[in-house]
Amino acid sequence: MKRFVRSWAAVAVAGLTLTGCGFGGGDGQSEGGNTLSFLVPSYSDGTKTLWEGIIADFEAAHSDINVELEIQSWDNINDVVRTKVQSNAAPDILNIDAFSGFAADDLLYSADEMVSANTVADFQQSFADNASIDGTMYGLPLIASARTMFYNTELLERAGVTAPPKTWDQLLDAAKKVAALGDGVYGYGMPLGSEEAQGETSIWTFGNGGSWTSGSAIAVNTPANLEAVTFMKRMIDEKATQPDPGASDRTPMLDVFIQGKIGMVVALPPTVGQIAEKNPNLKYASAPIPTKNGQPMTLGVADHLMAFKNKGDKQEAVKAFLDYVFSAPVYTKFVDTEGFLPTTKSGAAALAGKKEIASFLEVLPSARFYPSTNPQWATTQGAMQSLMGQIGQGKSPGAVLDEIQAKANG
C-alpha cells in the first residue's frame, strides 16, 4: 500500500539553521569506520522492506561493511534530524530533500567525494544543477516527481462539469458544483497541514508566476504570492474545499479522493499505483494543474541522499554503498517500486516505456522547483507548514505571509 511523499519533495528540516551555531560533524550513530548509519523517510508501506533488501544484497557482497537502517515518518523526520545534528550525532547517510544548510556549515561531503565519477555523470543535468551550490554538488538526487491534477470523472459528470478546469476561476466553479452534490463529497482537496503545506501553496503561487525568492533573498510576501494565497482563501471561504484545510495532510486526503469523495486533487505518480491497489474501480483521469491564466505548470521535486563528514574513516564505505544504490539495476528497481521518476540517465532509459508515468514526464519541462539550495529555505518551508493552514481559520493571507517572511528573515 503506497504512502505518498508530502512533497515529494518535499520536507526540509524545519527551522534548522546551523550557521554560526557551532555544530560540526559528529560521531554519527555508529563508531566503526565500516558501520554506516542510514536515516531515511517512509515513502510507502514498502519502503522499509525495499531498503532492507538493498542493504542485505549490498552487505552480502561487502562483508566488511554494515549498514544500520533507521526509518522515520515524514511527520517525525524533521525533528529527528534536527536533534541528531544538534547533538553531534548526524547519520552517516541521510535521505531528505534540503541540504543547503548542512553544506553551508561544511558538514557534508561533495558528490565527487561520496560516489564515483561514473555515478555523478549518470545524473540528468537538471537534477545535478538543482543539487549544487555555487557549482559544487552536495546532494545525490534520489527520486524526482512532477504533479498533475487527478479528477473523479464520475463526480464531475454528475455535477455538470464537461471538461477539467484549466484556470483558477474554472476550478472554483467546478469545485463548487461538485461540492453541491452533497453526501460528504468535497470539490477540491487542499492539504495545508504540516505534512506538505509548502507543496500545495507553491502550486498556487507558481501558478500565478510567483516565486519564493528574489535574487538570493527569500521573498514570501510578494504581490504575486499574495494574490495566489488570497484565491486559496476564497476557495476555502466559498466551501469549494474540504473543511479546515489546515488540519488536512496530503496523504490522508488522497485516501479520501481514492474513496471517491473528492472531485479534484493535485497528486503524484504513486497515486496511480495506490488507486489500482485500493480502489481499482475508481473512474478518474488526470490533467495539467489549473493556473491563474491556464498556462501549463507543475511542481517538480527531488529528494536527495547526502553524506555527513562524521568522525571515523567512513568515506570509502559511504562511496561503496552509494555507488551500489545508484547502480542501474538497483536504482531502477527502487524508483520504479516506489512509483517516482528517475533522476539518472540510465534509470530514465530503463523506464522510458512505462505508461503509468508518461503523463508526468510530459509536464516535467514546465516544472518549477523549491529554492532548496537557499540556506533560508528550510526555515521558510517549516514556517509554511506550521502557519499556512491559518488562512482557513480566519487569518488574512497577508498576515500569514508576513509572519512566514519574518521567520525566513530570522
Side-chain angles (χ1 to χ4, degrees):
M1 179 177 67
K2 292 288 183 184
R3 183 191 186 279
F4 297 93
V5 62
R6 72 282 151 298
S7 145
W8 210 58
V11 171
V13 183
L16 182 57
T17 305
L18 303 179
T19 302
C21 295
F23 299 129
D27 293 329
Q29 291 296 300
S30 49
E31 297 295 332
N34 287 334
T35 297
L36 302 175
S37 56
F38 184 30
L39 175 59
V40 305
S42 177
Y43 290 108
S44 72
D45 290 345
T47 298
K48 182 174 183 290
T49 300
L50 190 58
W51 276 123
E52 287 174 340
I54 291 172
I55 290 169
D57 290 344
F58 171 78
E59 291 179 342
H62 300 79
S63 59
D64 59 330
I65 301 176
N66 178 50
V67 180
E68 297 179 345
L69 177 68
E70 178 181 355
I71 191 161
Q72 294 285 344
S73 72
W74 279 110
D75 288 337
N76 296 333
I77 198 167
N78 295 339
D79 292 335
V80 171
V81 173
R82 179 168 53 246
T83 299
K84 287 179 182 292
V85 173
Q86 292 179 347
S87 301
N88 286 332
D92 295 314
I93 303 172
L94 172 65
N95 171 199
I96 205 168
D97 57 350
F99 58 85
S100 59
F102 303 133
D105 274 4
D106 195 29
L107 299 182
L108 301 179
Y109 288 113
S110 61
D112 59 359
E113 292 175 319
M114 56 179 164
V115 290
S116 67
N118 287 339
T119 297
V120 172
D122 193 32
F123 289 111
Q124 299 186 55
Q125 191 60 49
S126 60
F127 293 106
D129 290 343
N130 193 48
S132 302
I133 301 174
D134 296 331
T136 299
M137 186 175 174
Y138 292 99
L140 303 178
L142 178 65
I143 56 172
S145 189
R147 307 191 186 203
T148 61
M149 185 185 73
F150 282 48
Y151 59 98
N152 184 310
T153 56
E154 185 176 23
L155 290 179
L156 263 64
E157 181 178 351
R158 286 174 52 200
V161 179
T162 58
K166 295 182 178 180
T167 67
W168 288 352
D169 288 336
Q170 292 172 357
L171 175 61
L172 175 61
D173 180 66
K176 290 168 67 174
K177 288 179 178 177
V178 171
L181 295 173
D183 194 27
V185 169
Y186 306 120
Y188 175 78
M190 183 183 289
L192 296 180
S194 62
E195 182 185 12
E196 211 204 10
Q198 85 287 349
E200 181 67 23
T201 307
S202 296
I203 287 165
W204 290 85
T205 57
F206 292 169
N208 194 37
S211 174
W212 296 126
T213 57
S214 177
S216 61
I218 290 291
V220 175
N221 54 353
T222 66
N225 293 344
L226 177 59
E227 182 180 19
V229 177
T230 298
F231 199 93
M232 292 168 64
K233 181 171 173 56
R234 183 182 173 190
M235 292 279 293
I236 298 168
D237 292 345
E238 296 190 21
K239 303 188 185 307
T241 70
Q242 79 279 20
D244 192 11
S248 298
D249 285 337
R250 186 172 299 279
T251 299
M253 185 210 69
L254 286 172
D255 284 337
V256 179
F257 173 79
I258 292 169
Q259 293 164 10
K261 292 296 186 178
I262 299 179
M264 295 163 285
V265 296
V266 173
L268 298 156
T271 309
V272 175
Q274 190 175 26
I275 291 172
E277 181 179 344
K278 290 185 173 182
N279 188 8
N281 294 322
L282 182 71
K283 297 179 180 179
Y284 77 99
S286 66
I289 298 169
T291 61
K292 180 184 177 182
N293 296 320
Q295 296 298 314
M297 187 285 306
T298 189
L299 176 63
V301 182
D303 286 349
H304 301 87
L305 291 177
M306 60 206 74
F308 286 82
K309 295 189 287 188
N310 291 329
K311 294 178 182 178
D313 185 17
K314 299 185 179 184
Q315 187 175 356
E316 291 306 312
V318 166
K319 181 175 288 190
F321 179 63
L322 292 179
D323 275 337
Y324 179 78
V325 168
F326 284 104
S327 62
V330 175
Y331 175 69
T332 300
K333 179 181 178 181
F334 176 86
V335 73
D336 188 33
T337 301
E338 290 287 21
F340 292 115
L341 306 179
T343 62
T344 64
K345 299 169 188 174
S346 58
L351 298 176
K354 189 175 174 66
K355 294 181 179 180
E356 292 87 339
I357 62 175
S359 63
F360 294 95
L361 292 173
E362 288 175 6
V363 298
L364 200 57
S366 60
R368 296 282 306 277
F369 294 88
Y370 299 129
S372 58
T373 58
N374 188 299
Q376 293 305 114
W377 174 243
T379 300
T380 307
Q381 178 170 290
M384 287 186 196
Q385 290 169 322
S386 63
L387 297 174
M388 190 56 68
Q390 294 179 4
I391 66 170
Q393 300 164 356
K395 195 164 185 176
S396 73
V400 172
L401 292 180
D402 284 345
E403 188 172 353
I404 295 170
Q405 183 72 64
K407 290 185 178 295
N409 292 344

